[in-house]
Amino acid sequence: MHIHELDQLGWFAQTKFICPRVTSDLVERPYLVESLYHSLITHRLTLVSAPAGSGKTTLLAGLPQVYPDLPLCWVGLDSQDNDPIQFLSALIVALSGLNPTIGEKTGTLLKNLPRAVKENSYLVGTLVNAIMQAQPEPFGLVLDDLHWVTEPRVYHILNYLLERLPPQMHLIVASRYDPPLRLARLRARGEIAEFRLQELRFTQDEAALFLNRHLQRELPLVDLADLQLRTEGWAAALRLLANSLDRFTTDGDREAFIRELNQTDRYIFDYLAEEVLNHQSPDVRAFLLETSILHELNPEVCEAVTGRNDAAAMLADLYRRNLFIVAVDGQAGKTYRYHDLFAQFLQAQLSQQTPVSAIQMLHKCAAEAQATSTQAISHYLAGELWEEAAVTIEQVARPLIQKGLSGTVKGWIVALPETALGKHPWLNYYLGICAHQREELREAYRYLQKARTGFEAMGNEAGLDETLVQLADCLVGQGELGAGYSLITQGLTRPLQPHSRVQLLCARMWLLIVQGEWSQAGADLEEALKVALSSDDPDVYNILALQLRAPMALLPRGVELLENYCEEVLKKLNRQAELTQAGTLSLLSCLQLWRGYFATASRTVEQVRKIIQPLGEVVVLNVEMDAVWSLQLMQRGDYLSLEEYLAERLPQLEGIPAVGHWYIMLLYLLGRAYCLNQQPDKARAVYARMTGLPHLQELPVTKIACGLMQASLKIMEQDYRGAETLLYPLLAIEEQVRLSTMFGHARLLLAQLYLLLKSPDRALEIFQPLLTECHSQHTPGIILKEGPPVVPLLELALKKERYADFVRQMLALFSEKQQNEVTKQARPQAVRIPGTGETLSAREIEVLHLLVARASNREIANRLCISELTVKSHVNHILHKLDVTSRTKVAEKARELQMI
């Protein structure tokens, strides 16, 4: 992946990823380069930590010249890399220079991942997997000037990368001081090599080699000894010293200068830099000062800032004279930068010698000469050109935040004075979004309220709409459900954009689910899906890929509505929308489970795993697949496999707030399996674990999960009356907190209990409402997920002729022979129709086979456990795709095309 493919906003200068060229007068230090090389290939991390001007970059830049066979990626860092997504993007671009495929997967993911700022570990995992596949040979990644980075989240990324670094990859870091990485752990493991000032200092022999042999200064040994002592072998000081000595033509003048240098108590670098600057011609001095505001020096921008038309020649002359200017691209005479220390010195001189208005004009010219708006903002801010900065930030903030660069956007906006924010309410809105991404909800709410006031004053309805959506989300996130519900309802009365309407509907839906308002929640679900399917906005599908999760299947007509939505969305998605596809398929696997398609659900789970396996860990999707897989094992009665699976997965989920309700219910499944497998000690240990999680006790589902677990223990201990006492109160709670019925069902457990108490009529009475509901909604999986213990209940229902055909279908799944048949007859793959470019989906193929067998719409609905309305829709699609007008013609055309 090239820079322009990943960086659509022109964020990066290509020189950021090019190893600087070393000058012709470089003193060869073979022992140091050799030591660096061997350290690099034998350690995870090589740290070069020393003060500015010590020769860190020069040392690293010399490595590929001595060892050209070692591939080396280079990232020159700066203050903008404090944004975690900016930093990750830079890593991806640099590594893509080794092999473009490394960046393809992660780069696409970085651009499309919803709320990418929260998925840093996920993205690093993806990058590591891509490196493992695409670059088997050893290589190094250089992070130069890491001291510019102070953001803790960036160091979290680096620590995570170091822990999972592929064996062929070696990280080399250059910094002015030790970075806040887990250095002690790396030292204890012997995985870090360190180079410090002591190793980088020029010895007296090297100083003599540099000054006398390379620069031909012919200094006597006594002077060399004095200079070595005064500069302490500091490379930057020696370089400036060489420039100072250039102007002396006699030994006497040179000796006088050295004596003066040895006697001064000023900071050695500033002393030498001022001496060098003062002996330049007025033109050169003006050029140095005026261009010191630029991070990179190229002829075009330098000409815009200085007004000169000979900038290219001036830059080439400065480089030829080694005037502390570094070439930073691969083409001589094109792009340069000043050494950091020299640039800081020049900027200090500029501020002392130049009026503020003139410096502002320099920054304005520099900003207007930049290739992109993002590169111009830093100059507008540095020049205190607040209005220009505010307008430009407004133009680029949204796409940058969508790319996850909220840290960068926040840094720009908070640099503006309050008066500028008052004129531009979008800036307060973006500050609110940035805070929301960091989950600082109170701060987000404060900024969004300011934005709301500003938009209302301006009559900006579009801004007001978006702000109301975000304010509602903040209120709900802070637990202020009543205020959140009121604001959501107010927002839904407005003519919103599709993605905003869907977001508000989903937010209200979750609130209604928590409150047990299932009917209204179902209406919101239906409207949200209708809005989404009538829109071509990909943001809508991205939102729903995260918002639509298994609990919504429990809403009225939830399974049918979500099933149709999934099938329609999967037809629309392109290949690059991998996360949206994975989220939709993950939901679909849950729906297939409720329909009783256990084999099909297994295949769908495997499909999701294949999509996200190269990408890393997506907690919300992985835990949903954990649920589907665990329930299938429970349905088969394979308690040992369930124990082994959850023993591995549960520790990875503990303590993650976003999946707390999943965690407690998976714990219940584990405890239930122990009870059914007659392992009382393990079952009691799980119950103790469930009740010992204070951070989960406030979740509505926790009370039910713990109650079901306690009742299961009572049943295992044959304390049937004690279990009965526990289960009856749970029936009423379960009606309100239906989320729990995804994993366990108090009604089913109570019905099983009455069979044990030899009360079949009472057992059937308790079981009947659930059986009726599952029959009407064609969701046998809700019963079947209980596994073998439910068989006696089903046999009782069959004996009493309660929904006999439906019950026979469920019982068939518990016969090994019939289960194998079900597996073989599970939903097939989609089939392309020859010569048409059309494709019949997997569900349409199922319907086609039943049409050919002359099944009616009702028979198809009963066989596939879907509604007749859904069958009719599938039949119409098949007729259209096969270009026939009747059901009879369908069979003829299918045989003609050899599709059956």
Side-chain angles (χ1 to χ4, degrees):
M1 175 169 291
H2 298 295
I3 293 174
H4 68 273
E5 294 177 49
L6 178 63
D7 182 37
Q8 295 178 341
L9 296 173
W11 188 262
F12 297 124
Q14 294 193 20
T15 53
K16 185 182 184 74
F17 307 101
I18 297 173
C19 177
R21 288 185 290 136
V22 295
T23 57
S24 58
D25 59 7
L26 174 71
V27 174
E28 294 181 2
R29 311 177 81 184
Y31 68 93
L32 191 55
V33 176
E34 181 180 1
S35 177
L36 177 67
Y37 173 77
H38 287 292
S39 298
L40 186 159
I41 63 175
T42 56
H43 295 80
R44 282 178 181 263
L45 174 65
T46 299
L47 174 63
V48 184
S49 179
S54 301
K56 301 182 295 294
T57 301
T58 302
L59 173 63
L60 297 178
L63 191 64
Q65 294 192 354
V66 181
Y67 296 97
D69 294 334
L70 176 68
L72 205 62
C73 307
W74 189 281
V75 183
L77 298 167
D78 53 49
S79 59
Q80 292 180 339
D81 296 302
N82 276 291
D83 191 300
I85 300 304
Q86 157 85 356
F87 180 81
L88 272 170
S89 300
L91 292 190
I92 295 168
V93 173
L95 290 165
S96 297
L98 288 176
N99 188 325
T101 61
I102 292 176
E104 287 173 0
K105 182 73 71 175
T106 319
T108 300
L109 183 63
L110 191 62
K111 290 188 289 185
N112 298 322
L113 179 65
R115 305 181 83 172
V117 71
K118 294 186 178 181
E119 301 286 355
N120 293 335
S121 299
Y122 173 23
L123 291 163
V124 174
T126 306
L127 188 59
V128 168
N129 290 338
I131 292 168
M132 293 287 287
Q133 295 173 8
Q135 183 63 30
E137 299 301 320
F139 72 96
L141 171 63
V142 175
L143 300 180
D144 193 23
D145 290 336
L146 186 61
H147 51 266
W148 285 110
V149 176
T150 57
E151 171 57 51
R153 290 177 296 166
V154 172
Y155 286 103
H156 173 76
I157 292 171
L158 271 179
N159 279 318
Y160 190 87
L161 175 62
L162 279 167
E163 285 293 320
R164 291 154 183 81
L165 206 67
Q168 69 271 34
M169 180 177 176
H170 306 277
L171 188 62
I172 309 102
V173 165
S175 177
R176 293 180 185 173
Y177 42 79
D178 284 6
L181 297 170
R182 294 170 186 158
L183 301 180
R185 179 184 299 182
L186 293 169
R187 290 183 185 116
R189 296 175 179 174
E191 295 176 341
I192 181 175
E194 300 178 68
F195 291 78
R196 300 188 174 278
L197 179 59
Q198 189 59 39
E199 287 79 22
L200 297 179
R201 290 185 197 276
F202 275 60
T203 66
Q204 185 170 329
D205 288 342
E206 287 171 334
L209 183 66
F210 174 63
L211 293 170
N212 283 355
R213 183 179 302 179
H214 283 276
L215 303 182
Q216 299 179 350
R217 297 298 186 265
E218 298 182 0
L219 296 176
L221 289 178
V222 64
D223 287 344
L224 285 170
D226 287 344
L227 292 174
Q228 171 66 18
L229 181 65
R230 183 69 177 94
T231 63
E232 297 181 328
W234 187 20
L238 288 171
R239 162 59 62 193
L240 275 176
L241 177 63
N243 282 287
S244 296
L245 292 174
D246 273 346
R247 64 187 177 86
F248 298 115
T249 58
T250 70
D251 292 343
D253 290 340
R254 189 180 299 122
E255 290 171 4
F257 173 75
I258 292 172
R259 283 196 304 272
E260 182 182 350
L261 173 64
N262 288 335
Q263 293 170 5
T264 183
D265 58 359
R266 291 178 58 192
Y267 180 50
I268 186 69
F269 187 90
D270 282 358
Y271 177 84
L272 289 170
E274 184 176 346
E275 199 279 336
V276 169
L277 181 65
N278 288 339
H279 287 85
Q280 303 303 313
S281 68
D283 282 353
V284 170
R285 187 161 58 247
F287 185 89
L288 290 170
L289 293 174
E290 290 173 352
T291 58
S292 67
I293 66 169
L294 300 174
H295 179 67
E296 285 192 349
L297 309 167
N298 63 62
E300 294 78 14
V301 178
C302 288
E303 287 179 0
V305 170
T306 65
R308 302 174 64 101
N309 57 13
D310 61 347
M314 181 70 79
L315 289 169
D317 180 61
L318 293 174
Y319 181 70
R320 180 183 57 79
R321 293 198 288 130
N322 294 318
L323 200 58
F324 247 60
I325 184 171
V326 181
V328 291
D329 67 356
Q331 303 172 9
K334 181 60 178 174
T335 304
Y336 307 85
R337 66 173 175 83
Y338 293 123
H339 187 285
D340 286 345
L341 281 175
F342 195 53
Q344 292 168 22
F345 166 78
L346 291 175
Q347 289 164 13
Q349 295 293 310
L350 178 69
S351 64
Q352 293 172 14
Q353 302 174 20
T354 310
V356 172
S357 59
I359 296 176
Q360 283 186 318
M361 184 55 64
L362 291 175
H363 281 293
K364 188 173 189 299
C365 293
E368 293 173 351
Q370 298 299 323
T372 66
S373 298
T374 55
Q375 294 170 329
I377 290 171
S378 61
H379 283 291
Y380 285 135
L381 292 174
E384 299 185 358
L385 300 163
W386 307 128
E387 182 61 20
E388 291 89 340
V391 170
T392 311
I393 294 169
E394 278 187 325
Q395 294 169 353
V396 301
R398 187 183 298 273
L400 286 177
I401 292 173
Q402 289 173 346
K403 286 165 69 74
L405 293 163
S406 58
T408 297
V409 173
K410 178 190 175 183
W412 286 338
I413 299 176
V414 298
L416 295 168
E418 191 64 33
T419 52
L421 296 182
K423 297 178 184 177
H424 299 272
W426 278 113
L427 297 180
N428 273 314
Y429 171 84
Y430 292 132
L431 280 177
I433 299 301
C434 293
H436 197 297
Q437 287 194 347
R438 299 189 307 275
E439 297 187 351
E440 297 169 355
L441 299 184
R442 293 193 180 281
E443 181 181 343
Y445 186 82
R446 179 167 57 85
Y447 284 127
L448 290 167
Q449 281 286 43
K450 288 183 178 180
R452 180 182 184 179
T453 301
F455 286 131
E456 287 175 342
M458 295 171 60
N460 187 327
E461 297 297 321
L464 189 57
D465 288 345
E466 292 200 38
T467 304
L468 287 174
V469 172
Q470 299 300 328
L471 280 169
D473 202 18
C474 285
L475 288 170
V476 173
Q478 294 178 81
E480 299 180 32
L481 305 187
Y485 184 89
S486 176
L487 197 58
I488 290 168
T489 303
Q490 177 187 342
L492 288 171
T493 63
R494 302 176 62 82
L496 304 171
Q497 292 295 314
H499 66 273
S500 296
R501 180 165 294 280
V502 164
Q503 194 168 343
L504 283 182
L505 286 167
C506 286
R508 188 168 72 176
M509 192 187 335
W510 282 114
L511 286 177
L512 291 167
I513 288 173
V514 170
Q515 296 167 4
E517 301 287 344
W518 294 91
S519 178
Q520 181 58 51
D524 282 353
L525 172 64
E526 191 165 2
E527 184 181 352
L529 299 182
K530 182 178 179 181
V531 171
L533 291 175
S534 61
S535 170
D536 293 325
D537 183 358
D539 285 344
V540 173
Y541 303 131
N542 291 340
I543 291 169
L544 291 181
L546 293 179
Q547 293 287 343
L548 297 181
R549 302 272 51 91
M552 292 182 177
L554 302 172
L555 295 173
R557 294 184 61 228
V559 173
E560 179 184 348
L561 290 169
L562 292 171
E563 194 173 52
N564 290 338
Y565 171 80
C566 288
E567 292 189 5
E568 289 298 319
V569 169
L570 290 171
K571 292 176 187 176
K572 293 183 177 184
L573 292 178
N574 60 49
R575 293 178 59 187
Q576 291 187 335
E578 290 171 313
L579 272 183
T580 305
Q581 183 185 29
T584 307
L585 284 170
S586 180
L587 173 62
L588 185 59
S589 71
C590 298
L591 305 177
Q592 292 163 343
L593 199 71
W594 292 163
R595 291 297 194 194
Y597 299 137
F598 289 91
T600 306
S602 294
R603 289 198 295 271
T604 304
V605 166
E606 290 305 314
Q607 189 178 354
V608 177
R609 292 196 195 280
K610 286 180 181 177
I611 293 173
I612 68 172
Q613 188 275 331
L615 306 179
E617 176 81 5
V618 183
V619 175
V620 174
L621 299 188
N622 275 293
V623 74
E624 191 167 61
M625 289 185 291
D626 290 336
V628 173
W629 194 252
S630 298
L631 289 172
Q632 289 184 89
L633 294 174
M634 181 67 77
Q635 188 270 333
R636 294 203 298 263
D638 190 353
Y639 306 131
L640 181 59
S641 295
L642 178 62
E643 176 186 350
E644 292 174 347
Y645 181 77
L646 290 180
E648 178 185 351
R649 287 294 299 154
L650 283 169
Q652 300 177 41
L653 303 174
E654 188 171 1
I656 302 177
V659 295
H661 58 286
W662 295 96
Y663 179 73
I664 197 73
M665 290 189 287
L666 286 171
L667 265 180
Y668 164 71
L669 279 186
L670 179 61
R672 174 76 174 149
Y674 284 141
C675 288
L676 293 173
N677 210 27
Q678 295 300 309
Q679 294 177 282
D681 291 342
K682 289 185 175 180
R684 293 188 190 101
V686 170
Y687 178 64
R689 192 171 162 189
M690 293 172 69
T691 56
L693 296 169
H695 65 290
L696 296 181
Q697 296 309 309
E698 295 182 2
L699 292 176
V701 74
T702 299
K703 184 174 183 178
I704 295 180
C706 290
L708 289 174
M709 187 64 226
Q710 190 177 10
S712 296
L713 286 169
K714 296 285 186 185
I715 293 172
M716 181 183 62
E717 296 163 352
Q718 298 186 5
D719 180 5
Y720 298 147
R721 292 305 177 187
E724 181 184 28
T725 301
L726 289 169
L727 287 170
Y728 262 104
L730 293 181
L731 289 180
I733 302 174
E734 199 171 69
E735 289 300 313
Q736 291 295 312
V737 189
R738 298 188 65 187
L739 174 64
S740 64
T741 61
M742 292 170 49
F743 285 74
H745 225 295
R747 185 172 294 280
L748 272 176
L749 199 55
L750 187 59
Q752 294 169 46
L753 174 63
Y754 279 118
L755 284 182
L756 293 172
L757 289 169
K758 310 299 183 183
S759 301
D761 291 341
R762 184 63 178 144
L764 189 59
E765 179 185 351
I766 294 293
F767 180 44
Q768 178 76 42
L770 180 60
L771 183 61
T772 300
E773 180 183 345
C774 291
H775 175 264
S776 65
Q777 296 182 5
H778 309 288
T779 53
I782 291 177
I783 296 172
L784 293 171
K785 74 177 188 302
E786 294 289 320
V790 84
V791 171
L793 275 176
L794 293 173
E795 291 174 337
L796 176 63
L798 182 62
K799 180 180 178 181
K800 298 293 185 178
E801 298 185 347
R802 308 292 172 88
Y803 306 109
D805 290 341
F806 183 60
V807 172
R808 284 192 190 94
Q809 291 175 17
M810 286 191 282
L811 283 169
L813 289 171
F814 290 104
S815 162
E816 183 176 350
K817 179 180 177 181
Q818 289 170 315
Q819 177 140 5
N820 288 337
E821 289 301 313
V822 169
T823 300
K824 291 177 184 177
Q825 296 173 10
R827 292 178 65 183
Q829 299 296 309
V831 174
R832 193 174 295 279
I833 303 172
T836 67
E838 294 279 0
T839 298
L840 291 183
S841 69
R843 178 53 60 84
E844 288 166 352
I845 290 294
E846 288 180 302
V847 174
L848 174 63
H849 280 280
L850 293 171
L851 284 175
V852 172
R854 298 182 181 278
S856 67
N857 282 1
R858 175 168 292 183
E859 290 169 336
I860 294 172
N862 290 336
R863 180 70 176 272
L864 299 181
C865 294
I866 57 179
S867 70
E868 288 188 49
L869 183 63
T870 302
V871 172
K872 185 176 180 180
S873 174
H874 286 311
V875 170
N876 288 336
H877 287 157
I878 293 168
L879 292 174
H880 173 74
K881 291 178 180 180
L882 292 176
D883 195 23
V884 295
T885 57
S886 69
R887 296 163 68 100
T888 304
K889 294 290 185 182
V890 165
E892 294 176 2
K893 188 66 172 283
R895 292 189 181 98
E896 175 187 333
L897 296 174
Q898 298 183 342
M899 298 181 67
I900 57 174

